[in-house]
Amino acid sequence: MNEEFKVTPWEVTGKVDYARLIQEFGTEPIDDELLQRWKHVTGSIPMAMQRKIFFSHRDLKWLLDKYERGEKFVLYTGRGPSGDTHLGHLMPWMFTKYLQDTFDVPLYFQMTDDEKYLSKDELSLKDAISFSYENALDVIALGFDPKKTYIFSDLEYDKTLYRIAVEVAKRITFSTAKAVFGFDSSTNIGMIFFTSMQSAPAFLPSVQAGRNVPVLIPQAIDQDPHFRITRDVAPKLGFYKPAAIHCTFLPSLAGSAKMSASLPETAIYTTDEPKTARKKILSAFTGGRVSVEEQRKMGGVPDVCAVFQYYYYVFEEDREKLSERERKCVGGEIMCGECKQDLADRVVRFLEKHQEKREEAKDKVLDYVVSDYSAVYDRLKRPQDKKEVARLKKTMKEYYSVKEGDSILIKRTWELE
Ligand code: TRP
């Protein structure tokens, strides 16, 4: 019965069997015992964990043990900026925001513009960098704490990251990369190196603090192969293995496994005009019956319905109301048209609010983005105003007086207690 499916960091196809992924990847399920533990530590269980949207983890118990003993962790997540942000991307970031609020911890957010340039034939370097900026606006719009959030792009923060990446790269063989990612002789060599860039931020907090800092990486499950490697290398470099918490994919409006950037009409983008978003939802796949009469008689099938999945994943937080909607659907009491209209209203409201915040984010970029010397230097060559030049010169002076192993940031990384 099992349909074929494939999950790699660069390709997700077919109907994903998440229980099987836990087996194949060797992660652990988030079970009731862990949920109770979570509740004990934080006071409640978030919707995304309750509903098994975040369903899998590595070393979460270890992380909670550390936390309870007063050892604070750092969050690390990221985005491959290959296009505009859609709701499927936003979902784990919203969960990351919940984590930052709940544990009051820093967040490192990596934009892998290098990765996307290397993996997408049609993407130019310039466009990848510009999507880093566009996507960062969506991250900022979610309201992360500017004092504790560090967004960086690989192509702008390369100096800091590269030093860690080479240490990682030296400890990964080509045969490991081939086995983990399925590379072959036609893979470009940038891709082979890239995983070490994605490892680097998992160790950066420790490098900056000068001692081991626990790290938790919220991520969609397709990123796990990278962090399997990171975790293997960690002890060789004297670092803690980063912990992980994995989510499933928000289904596409066409009803398939993952919202895909290559089918724009089946995903809701944060930049969509509200009326475009409404149209997309009204033409979503529901699995409804051929006629209203039949629907009344036989009911709908929420399990296969993209609209129901949207309620489940994001747009109906109330457990009772969600069950009520499911019951009415199965019982033929509510028709697909009505269900879609309700969802469209909610999505539009969400988008309008998000787009407002996204506009405001344009004035806040410098409060969040960290960059290193090369970028400072680049901007110095094109000075904007005197104050800016003075500030950058000071940063450069610090740069020259820096000791080996130190790093200089435009924005100072939060001092870890
Ligand atoms: N490679 C990820 C992507 O293509 C982006 C990413 C970088 C990431 N670091 C991460 C995702 C850490 C999750 C956690 O989207």
Side-chain angles (χ1 to χ4, degrees):
M1 267 300 280
N2 248 332
E3 286 173 63
E4 276 310 303
F5 66 93
K6 191 172 172 188
V7 175
T8 79
W10 301 288
E11 191 185 9
V12 177
T13 54
K15 186 171 164 27
V16 182
D17 178 341
Y18 291 105
R20 222 173 92 193
L21 272 188
I22 288 180
Q23 297 279 318
E24 279 174 21
F25 284 3
T27 67
E28 287 181 67
I30 296 182
D31 55 14
D32 287 341
E33 193 188 326
L34 185 53
L35 287 182
Q36 287 318 314
R37 173 89 197 280
W38 192 273
K39 188 170 175 186
H40 176 78
V41 176
T42 68
S44 63
I45 304 171
M47 180 188 101
M49 285 171 82
Q50 188 85 61
R51 293 187 186 169
K52 305 273 148 95
I53 295 166
F54 275 84
F55 71 108
S56 152
H57 75 99
R58 289 183 188 272
D59 274 345
L60 208 48
K61 289 170 200 155
W62 168 84
L63 189 90
L64 291 176
D65 286 345
K66 292 259 174 218
Y67 181 78
E68 284 195 308
R69 281 195 231 110
E71 209 177 323
K72 278 214 170 181
F73 57 87
V74 164
L75 291 163
Y76 157 41
T77 194
R79 154 86 176 135
S82 54
D84 289 328
T85 305
H86 61 53
L87 293 182
H89 305 126
L90 231 43
M91 187 192 68
W93 304 349
M94 283 153 70
F95 184 72
T96 304
K97 164 83 164 78
Y98 151 81
L99 292 172
Q100 182 175 68
D101 291 347
T102 302
F103 294 97
D104 187 28
V105 289
L107 164 67
Y108 285 59
F109 196 108
Q110 177 182 39
M111 295 290 177
T112 54
D113 34 19
D114 54 346
E115 171 194 15
K116 292 294 139 170
Y117 171 66
L118 290 165
S119 65
K120 301 248 167 199
D121 283 343
E122 68 289 3
L123 192 70
S124 71
L125 207 49
K126 201 167 147 244
D127 285 348
I129 294 170
S130 122
F131 282 130
S132 277
Y133 170 77
E134 290 295 328
N135 296 171
L137 297 179
D138 290 303
V139 176
I140 295 167
L142 293 180
F144 288 100
D145 181 348
K147 291 198 188 68
K148 291 187 181 164
T149 303
Y150 310 96
I151 304 175
F152 48 85
S153 109
D154 286 354
L155 292 164
E156 286 290 314
Y157 204 39
D158 48 344
K159 187 176 178 66
T160 299
L161 295 175
Y162 188 67
R163 288 183 186 195
I164 304 173
V166 285
E167 294 212 55
V168 174
K170 193 171 179 176
R171 289 158 181 88
I172 308 170
T173 63
F174 183 30
S175 93
T176 297
K178 278 198 282 197
V180 172
F181 300 111
F183 294 152
D184 60 33
S185 303
S186 69
T187 307
N188 74 59
I189 61 172
M191 286 293 283
I192 297 161
F193 174 78
F194 168 72
T195 192
S196 47
M197 287 298 280
Q198 188 153 325
S199 281
F203 304 137
L204 185 56
S206 298
V207 170
Q208 288 175 330
R211 61 177 167 76
N212 257 328
V213 177
V215 167
L216 171 62
I217 313 179
Q219 63 193 277
I221 188 74
D222 62 331
Q223 297 299 309
D224 185 67
H226 285 299
F227 298 118
R228 251 160 20 222
I229 291 187
T230 312
R231 286 169 53 87
D232 279 350
V233 171
K236 297 180 189 166
L237 294 173
F239 296 121
Y240 288 150
K241 293 183 177 190
I245 183 163
H246 307 109
C247 66
T248 61
F249 308 111
L250 178 66
S252 106
L253 287 170
S256 62
K258 184 188 175 201
M259 259 201 186
S260 167
S262 51
L263 291 171
E265 64 289 358
T266 66
I268 306 287
Y269 291 90
T270 61
T271 47
D272 276 347
E273 294 268 354
K275 65 171 187 296
T276 312
R278 182 177 292 278
K279 220 162 52 206
K280 287 179 181 177
I281 289 165
L282 295 185
S283 41
F285 175 81
T286 61
R289 309 288 173 186
V290 286
S291 67
V292 171
E293 289 86 85
E294 265 202 38
Q295 180 98 3
R296 291 233 159 82
K297 222 165 50 205
M298 301 166 71
V301 190
D303 271 358
V304 302
C305 171
V307 172
F308 185 76
Q309 295 307 313
Y310 271 60
Y311 284 114
Y312 185 89
Y313 272 80
V314 186
F315 292 98
E316 184 51 270
E317 281 198 45
D318 188 311
R319 206 199 314 188
E320 299 287 307
K321 286 186 184 156
L322 187 74
S323 311
E324 174 78 356
R325 187 177 290 278
E326 188 173 14
R327 194 186 55 71
K328 280 187 173 165
C329 168
V330 172
E333 285 174 53
I334 184 173
M335 297 297 111
C336 296
E338 184 185 341
C339 215
K340 283 176 172 175
Q341 288 292 357
D342 282 356
L343 179 66
D345 290 344
R346 288 179 200 202
V347 170
V348 164
R349 244 177 291 149
F350 174 86
L351 278 184
E352 284 170 348
K353 224 171 95 197
H354 183 80
Q355 286 170 3
E356 212 174 282
K357 298 248 172 66
R358 200 177 180 281
E359 271 311 300
E360 290 165 17
K362 291 179 181 169
D363 294 327
K364 299 182 184 166
V365 174
L366 283 179
D367 298 339
Y368 287 89
V369 172
V370 287
S371 180
D372 50 29
Y373 164 76
S374 57
V376 174
Y377 185 70
D378 193 35
R379 291 228 309 266
L380 250 190
K381 285 190 295 192
R382 300 181 272 106
Q384 304 295 316
D385 63 66
K386 274 189 188 155
K387 233 169 96 190
E388 174 81 346
V389 172
R391 195 172 67 82
L392 295 178
K393 275 193 176 149
K394 189 163 163 277
T395 311
M396 281 181 71
K397 217 163 107 196
E398 282 182 57
Y399 177 78
Y400 283 119
S401 61
V402 101
K403 289 187 296 298
E404 198 192 323
D406 284 347
S407 61
I408 276 287
L409 312 177
I410 287 182
K411 183 186 155 194
R412 287 270 165 206
T413 304
W414 183 63
E415 293 293 325
L416 294 153
E417 296 128 55

